[in-house]
Amino acid sequence: MKITPEVGDLAVLGEIGNRVMQVRITMAMSQAALAKRAGIGKRTLERLENGESVQFVTLIRVLRELGLLDNINVLAPESGPRPMDYLARKGHIRQRAPRVLHVGEAPLPWKWGDEQ
């Protein structure tokens, strides 16, 4: 199954668990062996493979033992300044997110950059 934004949370958990199980089986590793190497309980690995909710650190440990931890870079790539943002800020890197207006809140009056 392909994971898309339309797929429900439980289906995504099930698919991740299935993929972890397939990799484990391909590596000819038992649940008990993988659980021991990952430092988790066998029952916890069973829950992960069955698509039940587990702690994120559990998934990280299992992915590390399966040699798949590098795939986290695809899930959450490092973000850097976009080239145009870098030029607009004259080399300064943004330290905070922009201020977000709440419902009913009036925006601050707009000013030119050279006004005090």
Side-chain angles (χ1 to χ4, degrees):
M1 168 177 97
K2 182 172 179 154
I3 297 175
T4 63
E6 293 80 28
V7 176
D9 295 347
L10 294 177
V12 171
L13 285 173
E15 183 61 23
I16 290 171
N18 187 45
R19 291 180 187 187
V20 166
M21 181 177 61
Q22 293 303 318
V23 171
R24 176 184 60 77
I25 291 170
T26 301
M27 295 176 70
M29 192 181 304
S30 69
Q31 284 182 328
L34 178 56
K36 184 175 181 178
R37 288 180 58 178
I40 62 174
K42 182 177 176 281
R43 177 65 187 121
T44 302
L45 181 59
E46 290 172 0
R47 285 199 309 272
L48 172 64
E49 290 184 354
N50 287 333
E52 298 175 36
S53 182
V54 296
Q55 292 183 359
F56 193 66
V57 70
T58 299
L59 179 61
I60 291 170
R61 290 176 179 177
V62 169
L63 292 177
R64 178 176 283 119
E65 292 306 318
L66 294 174
L68 300 173
L69 192 57
D70 288 344
N71 293 332
I72 293 291
N73 291 317
V74 175
L75 174 67
E78 283 188 61
S79 64
R82 296 179 300 187
M84 292 307 292
D85 291 341
Y86 189 75
L87 288 173
R89 291 187 185 85
K90 299 179 178 124
H92 293 71
I93 297 174
R94 182 184 292 256
Q95 298 294 319
R96 289 183 223 121
R99 183 174 182 271
V100 177
L101 295 178
H102 299 286
V103 175
E105 184 179 2
L108 296 174
W110 187 86
K111 294 182 181 180
W112 289 99
D114 59 352
E115 294 180 14
Q116 294 293 333

